[in-house]
Amino acid sequence: MLKIVIAGGFGAGKTTAVGAVSEITPLSTEEYLTEASADVDSLAGIEAKQTTTVAFDFGRLSLPDAPTPLELFLFGTPGQDRFVDLWYDLSRGAVGAVVLVDTRRLESSFTPVSFFEDIGLPFVVAVNQFDGAHRYHPQQVRTALELPAAVPVLTCDARNPNHVAGVLLTLVDHSETNTTTINRAGRAPSTTLQDA
C-alpha cells in the first residue's frame, strides 16, 4: 500500500485525475466558487470552472497485475497557495507526488514544484493536455519550470484512466529509484515533514 499526493495549481485537473482512475467513488470536498473568492482565485484561462477543492480528494487504485502488486491511496490537494499548510499534512507518509501542470497557467506550477523540492519528496511532473491548449514538448516545460534532469516530465490527459495510471506507475518507479539512490549515498531523508 502506497500513499501518493496529487498536487498542482488551481484548476490543473487534480480532482479529475483522482476521479478518472479511482476504483471507488472518490471522496471529494468540492465546493462552488463564490463571489467571496473572486479577488483571490483568478479564473483567467479557466473561466468555466465552477467548483474548487477545499480540503482534499481521496481515491484508491489497485494494480494486482503490476510486477509487484500495488494498492495506491491517492490524495489530491487543494490548488490555491493559501492551502499550502494543508499540503504538509497530506504529504506525511507519502512515497511521492504528482504535480499536474496546466500550461495555460504555468505560473501556478511553481509553488507545488518548490514545495516538494523543499520537503525532499520525490515527484514527477505531468502536463495535463487540456482541449484547445497549446502543446509544449516536455523538455520545454522542464526548462520553464527549471526542473533537474532527474525529475520525470510526462504528458497526460487527466480524464483518461490509462494516462493517469501510467503517470502513477512512473512516480512509483521514480520514488523507488530515488530512495535507493539516497540509501546508497548514506544520506538521511528530509525531516521537514516530521517537524511540520
Side-chain angles (χ1 to χ4, degrees):
M1 291 186 288
L2 301 175
K3 178 180 180 181
I4 291 175
V5 176
I6 299 180
F10 179 52
K14 301 172 296 295
T15 299
T16 300
V18 171
V21 78
S22 181
E23 65 197 14
I24 62 171
T25 301
L27 168 68
S28 179
T29 59
E30 288 277 291
E31 293 294 338
Y32 284 101
L33 292 166
T34 66
E35 301 230 355
S37 69
D39 291 339
V40 291
D41 294 333
S42 170
L43 295 177
I46 53 171
E47 289 81 6
K49 185 168 178 59
Q50 297 180 353
T51 61
T52 187
T53 299
V54 296
F56 64 90
D57 299 311
F58 173 76
R60 185 184 73 210
L61 175 63
S62 298
L63 299 168
D65 298 328
T68 302
L70 297 171
E71 189 169 8
L72 306 179
F73 295 101
L74 311 174
F75 289 81
T77 69
Q80 297 93 322
D81 288 357
R82 66 180 179 275
F83 292 119
V84 166
D85 286 344
L86 179 59
W87 297 4
Y88 286 100
D89 293 328
L90 292 175
S91 298
R92 188 171 282 114
V95 297
V98 173
V99 176
L100 274 177
V101 169
D102 178 354
T103 56
R104 301 169 304 174
R105 297 164 52 97
L106 191 63
E107 68 282 354
S108 68
S109 303
F110 286 98
T111 297
V113 164
S114 295
F115 176 82
F116 294 116
E117 286 177 339
D118 289 347
I119 67 171
L121 190 66
F123 67 96
V124 301
V125 168
V127 180
N128 192 4
Q129 296 191 314
F130 286 90
D131 293 337
H134 183 79
R135 301 290 192 250
Y136 293 93
H137 188 277
Q139 187 57 43
Q140 292 174 290
V141 175
R142 176 186 306 285
T143 301
L145 293 175
E146 300 178 350
L147 296 169
V151 175
V153 179
L154 311 100
T155 58
C156 75
D157 181 335
R159 301 168 296 187
N160 185 313
N162 291 329
H163 285 201
V164 178
V167 169
L168 296 172
L169 287 172
T170 299
L171 172 64
V172 169
D173 183 58
H174 175 63
S175 177
E176 288 177 357
T177 301
N178 195 300
T179 301
T180 301
T181 302
I182 288 172
N183 289 341
R184 282 190 187 148
R187 289 178 287 165
S190 170
T191 58
T192 304
L193 286 180
Q194 296 163 359
D195 298 337

